[in-house]
Short mmCIF file of all heavy atoms in Angstrom, two decimals:
data_model
loop_
_atom_site.label_atom_id
_atom_site.label_comp_id
_atom_site.label_asym_id
_atom_site.label_seq_id
_atom_site.Cartn_x
_atom_site.Cartn_y
_atom_site.Cartn_z
N ILE A 413 106.95 113.36 96.16
CA ILE A 413 105.63 112.89 95.70
C ILE A 413 104.64 114.05 95.59
O ILE A 413 103.85 114.14 94.65
CB ILE A 413 105.11 111.78 96.64
CG1 ILE A 413 105.99 110.52 96.48
CG2 ILE A 413 103.65 111.46 96.36
CD1 ILE A 413 105.69 109.43 97.47
N GLU A 414 104.73 114.98 96.54
CA GLU A 414 103.81 116.13 96.51
C GLU A 414 104.02 116.96 95.25
O GLU A 414 103.06 117.38 94.59
CB GLU A 414 104.03 116.98 97.76
CG GLU A 414 103.09 118.19 97.89
CD GLU A 414 103.56 119.40 97.12
OE1 GLU A 414 104.80 119.54 96.91
OE2 GLU A 414 102.71 120.20 96.70
N ARG A 415 105.28 117.23 94.90
CA ARG A 415 105.50 118.05 93.71
C ARG A 415 105.16 117.30 92.42
O ARG A 415 104.69 117.90 91.45
CB ARG A 415 106.92 118.61 93.67
CG ARG A 415 108.04 117.62 93.62
CD ARG A 415 109.40 118.35 93.60
NE ARG A 415 110.51 117.42 93.62
CZ ARG A 415 111.14 117.02 94.72
NH1 ARG A 415 110.77 117.49 95.90
NH2 ARG A 415 112.14 116.16 94.65
N GLU A 416 105.34 115.98 92.40
CA GLU A 416 104.94 115.20 91.22
C GLU A 416 103.42 115.18 91.07
O GLU A 416 102.90 115.25 89.96
CB GLU A 416 105.50 113.79 91.32
CG GLU A 416 107.02 113.73 91.14
CD GLU A 416 107.59 112.33 91.28
OE1 GLU A 416 106.80 111.39 91.52
OE2 GLU A 416 108.82 112.17 91.15
N MET A 417 102.73 115.12 92.21
CA MET A 417 101.26 115.18 92.15
C MET A 417 100.79 116.52 91.61
O MET A 417 99.88 116.60 90.78
CB MET A 417 100.67 114.95 93.54
CG MET A 417 100.73 113.51 94.03
SD MET A 417 100.18 113.37 95.75
CE MET A 417 98.56 114.11 95.67
N ALA A 418 101.42 117.61 92.07
CA ALA A 418 101.03 118.93 91.62
C ALA A 418 101.29 119.10 90.13
O ALA A 418 100.51 119.74 89.41
CB ALA A 418 101.78 119.99 92.42
N GLN A 419 102.39 118.50 89.67
CA GLN A 419 102.73 118.62 88.25
C GLN A 419 101.83 117.77 87.37
O GLN A 419 101.38 118.22 86.30
CB GLN A 419 104.19 118.21 88.04
CG GLN A 419 104.66 118.30 86.59
CD GLN A 419 106.11 117.87 86.44
OE1 GLN A 419 106.78 117.53 87.39
NE2 GLN A 419 106.58 117.89 85.20
N ASN A 420 101.52 116.56 87.80
CA ASN A 420 100.77 115.61 86.97
C ASN A 420 99.27 115.64 87.21
O ASN A 420 98.51 115.00 86.48
CB ASN A 420 101.29 114.18 87.20
CG ASN A 420 102.77 114.05 86.84
OD1 ASN A 420 103.24 114.70 85.91
ND2 ASN A 420 103.49 113.22 87.58
N ARG A 421 98.84 116.33 88.27
CA ARG A 421 97.41 116.45 88.62
C ARG A 421 96.77 115.08 88.85
O ARG A 421 95.61 114.86 88.48
CB ARG A 421 96.64 117.20 87.54
CG ARG A 421 97.17 118.59 87.21
CD ARG A 421 97.00 119.56 88.38
NE ARG A 421 97.48 120.87 88.06
CZ ARG A 421 96.71 121.88 87.64
NH1 ARG A 421 95.42 121.69 87.46
NH2 ARG A 421 97.23 123.06 87.39
N CYS A 422 97.52 114.15 89.42
CA CYS A 422 96.95 112.84 89.75
C CYS A 422 97.81 112.19 90.82
O CYS A 422 98.95 112.60 91.07
CB CYS A 422 96.87 111.95 88.51
SG CYS A 422 98.47 111.51 87.83
N PHE A 423 97.26 111.16 91.46
CA PHE A 423 98.03 110.41 92.43
C PHE A 423 99.02 109.50 91.71
O PHE A 423 98.69 108.93 90.67
CB PHE A 423 97.10 109.55 93.30
CG PHE A 423 96.46 110.31 94.43
CD1 PHE A 423 96.40 111.69 94.44
CD2 PHE A 423 95.91 109.61 95.50
CE1 PHE A 423 95.80 112.38 95.48
CE2 PHE A 423 95.31 110.29 96.55
CZ PHE A 423 95.26 111.67 96.54
N PRO A 424 100.23 109.36 92.23
CA PRO A 424 101.19 108.48 91.58
C PRO A 424 100.79 107.01 91.75
O PRO A 424 100.20 106.62 92.77
CB PRO A 424 102.50 108.77 92.32
CG PRO A 424 102.07 109.24 93.67
CD PRO A 424 100.79 109.99 93.44
N THR A 425 101.08 106.22 90.75
CA THR A 425 100.78 104.79 90.85
C THR A 425 101.91 104.03 91.52
O THR A 425 101.69 102.97 92.10
CB THR A 425 100.53 104.20 89.45
OG1 THR A 425 101.67 104.46 88.63
CG2 THR A 425 99.29 104.84 88.82
N ASP A 426 103.13 104.59 91.47
CA ASP A 426 104.29 103.92 92.06
C ASP A 426 104.74 104.72 93.28
O ASP A 426 105.31 105.80 93.14
CB ASP A 426 105.42 103.83 91.04
CG ASP A 426 106.67 103.15 91.62
OD1 ASP A 426 106.56 102.60 92.74
OD2 ASP A 426 107.72 103.18 90.97
N ARG A 427 104.45 104.20 94.46
CA ARG A 427 104.85 104.89 95.68
C ARG A 427 105.85 104.04 96.46
O ARG A 427 105.73 103.83 97.65
CB ARG A 427 103.62 105.21 96.53
CG ARG A 427 102.80 106.36 95.97
CD ARG A 427 101.52 106.58 96.73
NE ARG A 427 100.49 105.61 96.33
CZ ARG A 427 99.26 105.59 96.83
NH1 ARG A 427 98.90 106.46 97.74
NH2 ARG A 427 98.40 104.68 96.42
N ASP A 428 106.84 103.56 95.77
CA ASP A 428 107.89 102.73 96.38
C ASP A 428 108.90 103.65 97.05
O ASP A 428 109.77 104.24 96.40
CB ASP A 428 108.56 101.87 95.31
CG ASP A 428 109.61 100.94 95.92
OD1 ASP A 428 109.57 100.73 97.15
OD2 ASP A 428 110.46 100.43 95.17
N VAL A 429 108.77 103.82 98.35
CA VAL A 429 109.65 104.72 99.10
C VAL A 429 110.32 103.92 100.23
O VAL A 429 109.82 102.87 100.65
CB VAL A 429 108.87 105.91 99.68
CG1 VAL A 429 108.22 106.72 98.56
CG2 VAL A 429 107.81 105.45 100.68
N PRO A 430 111.45 104.41 100.76
CA PRO A 430 112.15 103.67 101.82
C PRO A 430 111.32 103.51 103.09
O PRO A 430 111.26 102.44 103.68
CB PRO A 430 113.39 104.52 102.09
CG PRO A 430 113.55 105.38 100.90
CD PRO A 430 112.19 105.61 100.35
N GLY A 431 110.63 104.60 103.52
CA GLY A 431 109.90 104.53 104.78
C GLY A 431 110.86 104.39 105.96
O GLY A 431 112.08 104.31 105.80
N ALA A 432 110.29 104.36 107.13
CA ALA A 432 111.11 104.29 108.35
C ALA A 432 111.25 102.85 108.83
O ALA A 432 111.04 102.54 110.00
CB ALA A 432 110.49 105.17 109.44
N TYR A 433 111.63 101.98 107.91
CA TYR A 433 111.85 100.59 108.29
C TYR A 433 113.12 100.09 107.61
O TYR A 433 113.18 99.91 106.40
CB TYR A 433 110.67 99.70 107.89
CG TYR A 433 110.86 98.24 108.27
CD1 TYR A 433 110.83 97.85 109.61
CD2 TYR A 433 111.07 97.28 107.30
CE1 TYR A 433 111.02 96.54 109.97
CE2 TYR A 433 111.24 95.94 107.65
CZ TYR A 433 111.23 95.57 108.99
OH TYR A 433 111.41 94.26 109.34
N ARG A 434 114.15 99.96 108.42
CA ARG A 434 115.46 99.47 107.98
C ARG A 434 116.04 100.30 106.84
O ARG A 434 116.79 99.79 106.02
CB ARG A 434 115.38 97.99 107.64
CG ARG A 434 114.95 97.16 108.84
CD ARG A 434 115.06 95.68 108.62
NE ARG A 434 114.67 94.98 109.84
CZ ARG A 434 114.64 93.65 109.97
NH1 ARG A 434 114.98 92.89 108.93
NH2 ARG A 434 114.28 93.09 111.10
N SER A 435 115.67 101.54 106.80
CA SER A 435 116.27 102.47 105.85
C SER A 435 117.49 103.11 106.53
O SER A 435 117.74 102.91 107.71
CB SER A 435 115.26 103.53 105.42
OG SER A 435 114.55 104.03 106.54
N ARG A 436 118.23 103.91 105.77
CA ARG A 436 119.49 104.46 106.28
C ARG A 436 119.41 105.98 106.35
O ARG A 436 119.05 106.64 105.38
CB ARG A 436 120.66 104.06 105.39
CG ARG A 436 120.84 102.56 105.22
CD ARG A 436 122.07 102.27 104.38
NE ARG A 436 123.18 101.79 105.21
CZ ARG A 436 124.44 101.71 104.78
NH1 ARG A 436 124.75 102.11 103.57
NH2 ARG A 436 125.38 101.26 105.59
N VAL A 437 119.78 106.49 107.52
CA VAL A 437 119.84 107.94 107.74
C VAL A 437 121.28 108.30 108.06
O VAL A 437 121.90 107.69 108.94
CB VAL A 437 118.90 108.37 108.88
CG1 VAL A 437 119.03 109.88 109.13
CG2 VAL A 437 117.46 107.99 108.57
N GLY A 438 121.81 109.29 107.35
CA GLY A 438 123.20 109.70 107.55
C GLY A 438 123.29 111.05 108.22
O GLY A 438 122.59 112.00 107.84
N LEU A 439 124.14 111.15 109.23
CA LEU A 439 124.37 112.41 109.95
C LEU A 439 125.80 112.86 109.70
O LEU A 439 126.75 112.13 110.02
CB LEU A 439 124.14 112.23 111.45
CG LEU A 439 122.78 111.67 111.87
CD1 LEU A 439 122.73 111.48 113.38
CD2 LEU A 439 121.65 112.57 111.40
N LEU A 440 125.96 114.04 109.12
CA LEU A 440 127.29 114.60 108.94
C LEU A 440 127.57 115.50 110.13
O LEU A 440 127.19 116.66 110.16
CB LEU A 440 127.38 115.39 107.64
CG LEU A 440 128.76 115.90 107.26
CD1 LEU A 440 129.75 114.75 107.11
CD2 LEU A 440 128.70 116.72 105.98
N GLY A 441 128.22 114.93 111.16
CA GLY A 441 128.51 115.66 112.39
C GLY A 441 127.81 115.06 113.58
O GLY A 441 126.61 114.76 113.53
N LEU A 442 128.58 114.89 114.67
CA LEU A 442 128.03 114.32 115.91
C LEU A 442 128.25 115.26 117.09
O LEU A 442 128.70 114.85 118.16
CB LEU A 442 128.65 112.95 116.20
CG LEU A 442 128.10 111.76 115.43
CD1 LEU A 442 128.85 110.48 115.80
CD2 LEU A 442 126.61 111.58 115.69
N GLY A 443 127.94 116.53 116.87
CA GLY A 443 127.96 117.48 117.97
C GLY A 443 126.68 117.39 118.77
O GLY A 443 125.99 116.37 118.77
#
């Protein structure tokens, strides 16, 4: 979103992001 704002010089109208609610995080490695 930050780089799109810098490119377009405006706030995005669509900020549909996963957020930290029931989203999925993957870890490659369990050391």
Side-chain angles (χ1 to χ4, degrees):
I413 292 173
E414 182 276 333
R415 61 180 177 266
E416 290 178 0
M417 286 174 55
Q419 180 180 359
N420 299 326
R421 304 294 181 96
C422 65
F423 278 18
T425 56
D426 179 10
R427 286 174 281 181
D428 183 17
V429 300
Y433 181 70
R434 300 189 178 179
S435 45
R436 302 183 105 194
V437 178
L439 305 177
L440 186 59
L442 280 178

